[in-house]
Amino acid sequence: MSEPILAFATLDLLLEGLELSSDIEAAKSHDWVSHVNTSCYDGDWDVLPLIIPKEHLDSHIILQAFSHNCESPWVESQYLKRLPSIRALIDRFECDVLSVRLMRLHANSYIKPHRDQGLSLEASSQARIHIPLEISPEVQFQVDGATVPMVVNSVWYINADAEHSVKNTGDTSRINLVIDCNVNEWLFDLIMNSKNKTYCCKKVS
């Protein structure tokens, strides 16, 4: 018997009471690092690591931003310590939070279709959450061919194991807070109780 595969879902997680705009401006003052997988995108795509493997706490920002396959505990980076509202937002996740990054796709840039193997509810016990902090109508985020209707401060579960891409044809950058976390009962219920879910075209047996 086949079961549907979830492509994406909006999560009912309130962001009220958080001064995120001031944190975003503070984050922009730091030195971000270009995404290391340069074959995966055209234009400019960079990252500011916020929760990182403890073993890389004193390492170069590249290791802090992209070393995810490790068993080290996850700790706050020097950057997150200066972003109190974003820290408070992360604290609203009642599950184990792993990697957290700010990811900025600059104007006239394109993240090519790709998959992050195994990162979905169906494929593993982990999930990827996207929260757009700066976005415009010219940004198109697609999962399995369907467009995710992202707006500022909305919260989305994204099936990163499915093919996905992002195109920014506008004149301003898009900044998303990207959170990878372990799925517990709280997060699973939040995702499955979403009133706005879209399923993939593919099925699993």
Side-chain angles (χ1 to χ4, degrees), residues 58-123:
D58 298 316
S59 302
H60 191 277
I61 187 174
I62 288 179
L63 288 175
Q64 295 179 350
F66 300 106
S67 296
H68 301 293
N69 296 322
C70 64
E71 296 182 359
S72 174
W74 296 88
V75 297
E76 293 184 20
S77 73
Q78 59 177 315
Y79 309 106
L80 182 56
K81 295 180 186 298
R82 303 168 193 168
L83 306 174
S85 291
I86 290 178
R87 187 69 191 88
L89 169 54
I90 296 168
D91 283 342
R92 295 188 179 184
F93 282 79
E94 300 175 23
C95 57
D96 292 333
V97 172
L98 308 174
S99 167
V100 180
R101 298 168 285 172
L102 286 172
M103 305 195 76
R104 178 170 56 187
L105 184 65
H106 290 254
N108 300 306
S109 298
Y110 175 46
I111 303 172
K112 301 175 185 178
H114 68 285
R115 294 177 59 193
D116 297 293
Q117 207 83 27
L119 189 49
S120 72
L121 284 178
E122 294 82 7

Side-chain angles (χ1 to χ4, degrees), residues 96-185:
D96 292 333
V97 172
L98 308 174
S99 167
V100 180
R101 298 168 285 172
L102 286 172
M103 305 195 76
R104 178 170 56 187
L105 184 65
H106 290 254
N108 300 306
S109 298
Y110 175 46
I111 303 172
K112 301 175 185 178
H114 68 285
R115 294 177 59 193
D116 297 293
Q117 207 83 27
L119 189 49
S120 72
L121 284 178
E122 294 82 7
S124 70
S125 60
Q126 294 183 4
R128 175 160 292 170
I129 308 299
H130 275 259
I131 303 174
L133 301 180
E134 283 193 356
I135 200 167
S136 73
E138 288 77 25
V139 175
Q140 185 178 61
F141 194 125
Q142 289 198 325
V143 179
D144 194 47
T147 298
V148 186
M150 290 187 177
V151 296
V152 168
N153 294 349
S154 57
V155 183
W156 294 87
Y157 160 74
I158 299 295
N159 182 341
D161 185 56
E163 185 177 86
H164 55 287
S165 63
V166 190
K167 186 177 294 185
N168 183 3
T169 58
D171 298 324
T172 59
S173 297
R174 177 227 69 174
I175 298 177
N176 276 13
L177 180 66
V178 181
I179 301 173
D180 290 344
C181 43
N182 287 326
V183 179
N184 61 2
E185 184 176 357

Side-chain angles (χ1 to χ4, degrees), residues 3-4 45 62 72 105 128 194 201-202:
E3 296 292 339
W45 184 26
I62 288 179
S72 174
L105 184 65
R128 175 160 292 170
S194 169
C201 298
K202 309 175 191 68

